């Protein structure tokens, strides 16, 4: 199949035509330069007024399969990903059973191939059963057909510094990275701590989750990465204090050149604040919790200046019976894949903090580099894979959770007006979303 995308603004630049054949970009140029290709194209897409970006890569997706197919499956999650402009997602390991063996990783990878809507790359658990005690089959998962390169016990912190050190040393041998859920359980106990610690948590009677519980783990882990000469990735950074630690650590890592620290921020931590918890709506219960406005501002600035490397959704679907409880008893997490681009557009592009090339950097190029995905996050250039997304930068819409392609409905953006919307997504030239 051949495809001609006509009049697209590549990374927000002047309109041009992009011709795709065999899943690869073959020509880029003006209508006169692509005239012959236009005549032979099997499909022509009018992209006037649209921005063309490399397909997005999500470093942090919960697809729930195996074990909780009532909340999400690999297929439904991949459909939601495609609707959000994603051509690749990394599926977290906290499934049932846990993705802590090569066989489990390959199973998730194969489910993604069967769905064919986005490339699904399993994240391997750092420790067996996410128990934080014994390392999982890190090398075997890496050598499997799934070629796992990112490992995380997300949902739980690798709290034991000795285990974290060993994990960093182990993955160094094959260029892997440990993605850490930074939560010191002695300061923010798993399961109970659920609201940013402060005046609001005291007034609402909700167990506090202080920012320092994140920051002390981030500080410890960047020092362990420096000591081992390895790579650590900070998942869902949420506080201004974490930004300060990251800024220092990145400066040191750049000087040394032998180790690396990267970080991600979620769409919800870029826009939503802890005051939303005043109504006890469990939709807004997430881990780490929503933070005050000063943290949100620090995260936005850090994403703009590169201290935070990437946007990652932490897409966490839940069945209705797990969310419709009293706040303290409800499950942690919210949906993120389908509205991520719109949130970034609303918060970062509309404010001038990022241009469209910057969006490509934080949602595609850098996430692909962190995850070691050679076929994604590539330049829009002749000879590159046609993993692409078309965005309408002027579109405004009100989110309707009932239109989601996810199986779950715990959508924090419901009834919110956003600017910028994904129109079409292409995986190796095949349209996976749009009409």
């Amino acid at each position: 199949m051949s495809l001609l995308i006509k009049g697209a603004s590549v990374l927000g630049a002047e309109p041009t035509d992009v011709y795709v054949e065999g899943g690869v970009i073959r020509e880029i140029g003006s209508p006169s330069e692509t005239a012959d290709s236009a005549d032979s194209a099997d499909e022509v897409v009018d992209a006037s007024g649209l921005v063309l970006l490399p397909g997005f890569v999500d470093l942090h997706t919960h697809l729930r399969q195996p074990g909780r197919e009532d909340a999400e499956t690999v297929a439904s999650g991949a459909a939601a990903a495609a609707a959000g402009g994603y051509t690749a997602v990394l599926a977290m390991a906290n499934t049932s059973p846990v993705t802590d063996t090569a066989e489990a990783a390959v199973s998730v990878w194969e489910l993604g191939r069967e769905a064919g809507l986005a490339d699904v790359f399993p994240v391997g658990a750092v420790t067996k059963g996410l128990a934080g005690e014994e390392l999982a089959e890190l090398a075997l998962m890496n050598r499997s057909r799934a070629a796992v390169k990112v490992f995380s016990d997300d949902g739980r912190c690798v709290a034991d510094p000795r285990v974290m050190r060993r994990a960093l040393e182990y993955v160094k041998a094959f260029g892997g990275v440990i993605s850490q859920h930074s939560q010191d359980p002695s300061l923010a106990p798993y399961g109970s701590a659920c609201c940013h610690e402060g005046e609001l948590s005291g007034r609402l009677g909700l167990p506090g989750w202080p920012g320092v519980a994140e920051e002390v783990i981030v500080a410890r882990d960047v020092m362990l990465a420096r000591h081992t000469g390895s790579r650590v990735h900070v998942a869902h950074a949420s506080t201004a204090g974490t930004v300060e630690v990251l800024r220092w650590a990145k400066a040191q890592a750049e000087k040394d050149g032998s180790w690396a620290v990267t970080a991600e921020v979620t769409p919800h931590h870029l826009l939503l604040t802890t005051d939303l918890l005043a109504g006890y709506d469990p939709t807004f219960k997430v881990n780490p919790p929503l933070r005050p406005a000063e943290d949100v501002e620090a995260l936005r600035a850090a994403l703009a200046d590169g201290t935070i490397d990437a946007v990652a959704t932490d897409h966490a679907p839940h069945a209705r019976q797990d969310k419709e409880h009293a706040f303290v008893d409800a499950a942690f997490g919210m949906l993120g894949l389908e509205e991520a681009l719109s949130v970034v557009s609303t918060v970062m592009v509309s404010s001038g903090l990022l241009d469209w090339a910057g969006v490509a950097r934080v949602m595609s190029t850098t996430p692909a580099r962190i995850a070691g995905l050679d076929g994604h996050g590539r330049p829009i250039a002749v000879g590159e894979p046609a993993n692409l997304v078309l965005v309408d930068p002027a579109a405004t819409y009100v989110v309707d959770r009932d239109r989601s392609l996810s199986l779950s409905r715990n959508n924090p953006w419901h009834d919110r007006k956003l600017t910028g919307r994904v129109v079409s997504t292409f995986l190796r030239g095949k349209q996976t979303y749009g009409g």
Side-chain angles (χ1 to χ4, degrees):
M1 292 290 293
S2 59
L3 167 71
L4 182 69
I5 301 173
K6 287 186 63 66
S9 173
V10 177
L11 302 183
E14 290 301 311
T16 189
D17 291 355
V18 177
Y19 178 70
V20 174
E21 188 176 37
V24 175
I25 298 171
R26 301 296 183 186
E27 293 181 46
I28 298 178
S30 65
S32 62
E33 292 171 318
T34 60
D36 292 341
S37 299
D39 291 338
S40 63
D42 296 311
E43 183 178 359
V44 177
V45 174
D46 182 0
S48 302
L50 305 182
V51 175
L52 185 66
L53 303 173
F56 304 144
V57 175
D58 191 17
L59 291 167
H60 197 143
T61 305
H62 296 274
L63 296 182
R64 303 303 188 206
Q65 189 176 9
R68 288 305 306 267
E69 288 84 354
D70 57 331
E72 198 77 287
T73 65
V74 171
S76 66
Y86 288 91
T87 55
V89 297
L90 275 69
M92 283 293 165
N94 58 340
T95 49
S96 182
V98 172
T99 308
D100 56 6
T101 66
E103 292 79 7
V106 169
S107 176
V108 173
W109 177 75
E110 288 179 337
L111 287 168
R113 284 171 60 88
E114 291 171 9
L117 296 172
D119 288 342
V120 176
F121 299 95
V123 172
V126 178
T127 64
K128 292 184 177 179
L130 309 181
E133 298 172 357
E134 184 180 355
L135 291 184
E137 296 180 356
L138 307 184
L140 290 177
M141 285 188 275
N142 176 255
R143 293 199 296 266
S144 73
R145 286 188 294 148
V148 179
K149 296 179 182 177
V150 180
F151 301 87
S152 181
D153 278 1
D154 184 63
R156 302 184 75 84
C157 179
V158 182
D160 187 326
R162 182 173 60 176
V163 175
M164 186 63 176
R165 174 186 174 176
R166 287 177 176 171
L168 288 165
E169 291 171 335
Y170 208 99
V171 300
K172 181 183 176 182
F174 51 81
V177 60
I178 302 297
S179 176
Q180 174 71 293
H181 174 105
S182 302
Q183 178 183 359
D184 187 323
S186 62
L187 294 172
Y190 301 137
S192 59
C194 61
C195 178
H196 173 77
E197 185 177 279
E199 183 275 333
L200 184 67
S201 66
R203 179 158 51 87
L204 297 178
L206 296 175
W209 203 124
V212 70
E214 174 176 301
E215 295 150 10
V216 295
I217 296 296
V218 175
R220 183 203 74 179
D221 286 351
V222 298
M223 297 303 288
L224 287 173
R226 183 168 76 166
H227 179 74
T228 58
S230 191
R231 296 171 59 208
V232 66
H233 178 74
V234 178
H236 42 52
S238 71
T239 76
T242 290
V243 169
E244 293 177 10
V245 175
L246 288 170
R247 194 164 279 130
W248 175 86
K250 281 175 168 281
Q252 300 304 308
E254 187 174 348
K255 289 178 186 176
D256 295 349
S258 62
W259 59 289
V261 54
T262 54
E264 69 189 42
V265 63
T266 70
H268 48 272
H269 285 116
L270 286 173
L271 180 54
L272 306 180
T273 55
T274 191
D275 59 285
L276 287 169
L277 275 60
Y280 293 101
D281 184 345
T283 302
F284 299 111
K285 183 180 180 183
V286 66
N287 191 8
L290 301 180
R291 302 291 189 186
E294 54 266 31
D295 292 305
V296 171
E297 292 299 323
L299 294 168
R300 293 178 183 179
L303 182 65
D305 70 22
T307 301
I308 292 177
D309 302 84
V311 172
T313 69
D314 196 4
H315 176 80
H318 287 293
R320 179 170 295 179
Q321 66 266 23
D322 295 321
K323 266 293 189 181
E324 292 185 353
H325 290 279
F327 193 91
V328 293
D329 299 321
F332 290 94
M334 51 184 62
L335 300 186
L337 284 169
E338 292 172 85
E339 286 81 33
L341 177 279
S342 300
V343 175
V344 171
S345 173
T346 301
V347 172
M348 302 297 293
V349 179
S350 296
S351 65
L353 288 171
L354 286 178
D355 58 14
W356 288 107
V359 173
R361 171 175 60 84
V362 301
M363 295 189 71
S364 180
T365 307
T366 303
R369 175 180 57 79
I370 292 169
L373 307 183
D374 295 334
H376 292 270
R378 301 294 303 163
I380 299 177
V382 173
E384 296 290 354
N387 297 321
L388 304 166
V389 56
L390 280 169
V391 173
D392 185 346
T396 59
Y397 69 105
V398 176
V399 178
D400 179 357
R401 64 187 169 208
D402 292 326
R403 296 176 63 87
S404 175
L405 297 182
S406 169
L407 297 184
S408 294
R409 293 294 177 265
N410 52 312
N411 191 324
W413 313 112
H414 179 63
D415 276 346
R416 185 179 290 264
K417 186 177 182 179
L418 299 174
T419 300
R421 192 169 194 173
V422 170
V423 174
S424 298
T425 307
F426 304 90
L427 177 64
R428 289 179 287 277
K430 173 190 173 185
Q431 191 168 30
T432 54
Y433 174 76

